[in-house]
Amino acid sequence: MKAYKLIPVAGFFLAACGGGESADAPTSDDTPTPPPAAAPAGPEIPGGELSMPGWYQVDHDAMTVTLDIEAGSTADNNYWNYNGATNGEWAITVPVGYTVTVNLSNSDPNMAHSLGISRELTNFAVPPAPEPVFEGAITQNPQSMVDATMPGESETVTFVASEAGDYSMVCYIAGHTAVGMWLYFVVAEGQDAGVAGM
Ligand SMILES: [Cu+2]
């Protein structure tokens, strides 16, 4: 007899819960997790007017861009910079579909460096995986302290910027992006060419 009385009570409770807000609670408990994490807090990508520095050459007829990138061109950031810039202060912008040649030279007297085009846009605390966005868009042995692009050496990479989007130009040597050896690299629709943020 007691069991009969308890079952309807329990059933009523379950029904009440099932039809009420607490039934939605488990599902909405699953979904809230992504939204807070999805709000990116990374630095803003420089926009606005594009400068055309001497190290950037574009040929719109041939659809080519040539970038002379000097690692350690100044002593700034302990030479861990590209043409003196760090921490995404520039957005090197190339038109989509253009063939990009990067001539990387290493003028840092002390340290190996490398260069690649990465999808990473927010987390530079760890070196991005050495998986370039575009085939060929990475220097050799990019993580090696002894066999990347060594002081006094240079290396050329060529790739087709086949997909418009926001990317980064990074050094893959451990610790280098963490202290700022990265810039933004934007592949733009149309014929925008140059460097934002200069
Ligand atoms: Cu480096």
Side-chain angles (χ1 to χ4, degrees), residues 125-143:
V126 295
E131 294 156 3
V133 179
F134 307 111
E135 189 179 348
I138 193 166
T139 54
Q140 293 189 340
N141 308 308
Q143 298 173 304

Side-chain angles (χ1 to χ4, degrees), residues 55 69-77 79-87 89-90 180-181 183:
W55 49 264
I69 303 292
E70 188 177 0
S73 71
T74 69
D76 287 355
N77 201 38
Y79 296 97
W80 297 11
N81 62 67
Y82 291 128
N83 290 352
T86 56
N87 279 302
E89 66 181 277
W90 295 345
M181 196 166 180
L183 298 173

Side-chain angles (χ1 to χ4, degrees), residues 140-152:
Q140 293 189 340
N141 308 308
Q143 298 173 304
S144 172
M145 298 267 291
V146 296
D147 208 14
T149 306
M150 303 304 289

Side-chain angles (χ1 to χ4, degrees), residues 38-81:
E44 273 188 30
I45 300 177
E49 203 163 317
L50 296 172
S51 301
M52 190 57 73
W55 49 264
Y56 189 126
Q57 292 178 323
V58 61
D59 183 333
H60 288 294
D61 293 329
M63 294 178 68
T64 58
V65 164
T66 303
L67 306 172
D68 295 327
I69 303 292
E70 188 177 0
S73 71
T74 69
D76 287 355
N77 201 38
N78 192 33
Y79 296 97
W80 297 11
N81 62 67

Side-chain angles (χ1 to χ4, degrees), residues 82 100-104 113-119 127-144 147-149 154-161 168-173 177 185:
Y82 291 128
V100 179
T101 298
V102 180
N103 298 312
L104 173 69
H113 294 290
S114 60
L115 183 152
I117 305 302
S118 169
R119 290 192 187 277
E131 294 156 3
V133 179
F134 307 111
E135 189 179 348
I138 193 166
T139 54
Q140 293 189 340
N141 308 308
Q143 298 173 304
S144 172
D147 208 14
T149 306
S154 59
E155 184 170 345
T156 295
V157 296
T158 300
F159 59 92
V160 178
S168 55
M169 172 183 284
V170 302
C171 180
Y172 298 93
I173 307 283
T177 54
F185 187 87

